[in-house]
Amino acid sequence: MGFRFSLFVTFLTLALVASHAALSPELYWKSVLPNTPMPKAVTDILHPDLVEDKSTAVGVGKGGVNVDAGKAILKGVTTVYKKAASENQLHDVQNTAIFFMPEILNRFSVKPGSLEADIMQNTIKECEEAGIEGEEKYCATSLESMIDFSTSKLGKNVQAVSAEVEKRTQLQEYTIAAGIEKMTDNKSVVCHKQNYAYAVFYCHATQTTRAYIVPLEGTDGTKAKAVAVCHTDTSAWKPKHLAFQVLKVNPGTVPICHFLPEENIVWVANKKPEE
């Protein structure tokens, strides 16, 4: 574990000078995926100066589904499929990377013991953990490596989709409108934007995930496009997973569905004409 972890930390700290340096991320996308429109989540990362205030959240029903990508609290949502929310896990996070974190924190001028340091530490731990059964996982440290991983699993005839809101508004409740579109019945790659000193995407490919584009409408008429995924096989999830506790169901009994925050990207292969 220690040797593997040190290699991964080195990989993360050197990723700022990653390969594909000859092409900008935007040009690399166009060269590999000329027929795939770039989702808003990616354009926001490439052009942060054009991003409006991220204080908006989208709520569905009484409980509300927050799709605000600007707050660290969403970290638990982006990896909801694998979290058990136990004290032991929190203890593990605190004791991970004890020998390697100071070097990383110094490199990025992050104060040890700060919230930023804890978030970076948790990201490294999540990237080092083994995937659950039936999952192929990969932490992409650049847009280019995210493209490479996703296309290696799905081919280059793909679409990449993220949530979008037509305009920034105050926090309000949204309801599901007509026109839900199923993107795929099974195989997909979902990439979750992680909190780190630079772009890190936690990507995982599965054969048991249905993805949907869900139109939403706010109380003031604002329209939004949300992305939802349903995990059809949860038998390998931890019994104390937060989803099972909230929904009061057991592993492997029913699909678990959830919305994705704005900075998450769902990749699926385009359907063939006969489909």
Side-chain angles (χ1 to χ4, degrees):
M1 168 64 183
F3 177 70
R4 181 166 167 258
F5 180 80
S6 64
L7 288 178
F8 180 75
V9 169
T10 302
F11 178 58
L12 276 179
T13 56
L14 295 178
L16 289 174
V17 290
S19 58
H20 307 305
L23 291 176
S24 69
E26 200 161 19
L27 289 177
Y28 188 75
W29 179 290
K30 292 179 180 178
S31 67
V32 178
L33 303 169
N35 299 316
T36 303
M38 186 176 287
K40 186 176 183 298
V42 174
T43 59
D44 285 352
I45 293 172
L46 295 179
H47 303 286
D49 53 313
L50 301 179
V51 179
E52 298 179 30
D53 176 59
K54 286 278 189 179
S55 60
T56 301
V58 174
V60 180
K62 292 183 179 180
V65 177
N66 193 331
V67 296
D68 177 1
K71 297 180 181 178
I73 194 170
L74 280 176
K75 194 162 189 62
V77 178
T78 59
T79 52
V80 66
Y81 67 94
K82 63 191 283 291
K83 288 299 179 187
S86 68
E87 292 183 4
N88 287 337
Q89 285 181 313
L90 296 177
H91 178 76
D92 290 343
V93 170
Q94 294 169 357
N95 289 285
T96 300
I98 189 170
F99 299 110
F100 302 97
M101 281 301 286
E103 179 183 348
I104 297 175
L105 299 182
N106 289 336
R107 184 179 295 271
F108 296 111
S109 301
V110 175
K111 184 179 179 180
S114 65
L115 175 61
E116 292 81 3
D118 289 343
I119 290 173
M120 290 174 64
Q121 186 177 16
N122 193 50
T123 293
I124 293 173
K125 180 180 183 296
E126 288 182 346
C127 287
E128 267 292 289
E129 284 181 341
I132 62 175
E133 184 180 349
E135 172 195 43
E136 297 178 81
K137 58 170 286 189
Y138 175 71
C139 269
T141 56
S142 68
L143 176 63
E144 296 91 331
S145 58
M146 178 177 65
I147 293 171
D148 293 346
F149 175 77
S150 301
T151 55
S152 72
K153 304 303 175 187
L154 302 170
K156 295 183 179 180
N157 183 21
V158 295
Q159 57 177 315
V161 181
S162 63
E164 296 184 20
V165 182
E166 68 176 3
K167 64 179 180 180
R168 291 292 167 183
T169 65
Q170 296 298 315
L171 178 65
Q172 61 179 303
E173 189 173 274
Y174 282 72
T175 56
I176 297 175
I180 296 176
E181 177 187 346
K182 181 189 288 187
M183 297 172 62
T184 181
D185 280 322
N186 42 51
K187 190 169 185 177
S188 65
V189 175
V190 181
C191 293
H192 308 285
K193 176 70 169 59
Q194 300 294 93
N195 292 297
Y196 202 71
Y198 53 88
V200 174
F201 286 89
Y202 181 107
C203 298
H204 57 112
T206 67
Q207 300 274 2
T208 58
T209 301
R210 297 196 300 259
Y212 300 85
I213 296 175
V214 183
L216 304 175
E217 185 170 340
T219 53
D220 68 352
T222 300
K223 290 180 171 53
K225 179 188 73 176
V227 179
V229 294
C230 291
H231 305 278
T232 58
D233 183 3
T234 61
S235 56
W237 292 16
K238 295 179 180 179
K240 291 185 178 181
H241 189 292
L242 182 61
F244 301 142
Q245 298 180 52
V246 171
L247 299 175
K248 301 187 185 307
V249 296
N250 295 319
T253 57
V254 296
I256 298 295
C257 303
H258 61 91
F259 287 92
L260 294 176
E262 288 180 279
E263 288 186 341
N264 290 226
I265 302 166
V266 176
W267 297 76
V268 298
N270 283 320
K271 295 180 180 179
K272 296 178 181 179
E274 61 271 20
E275 297 178 342

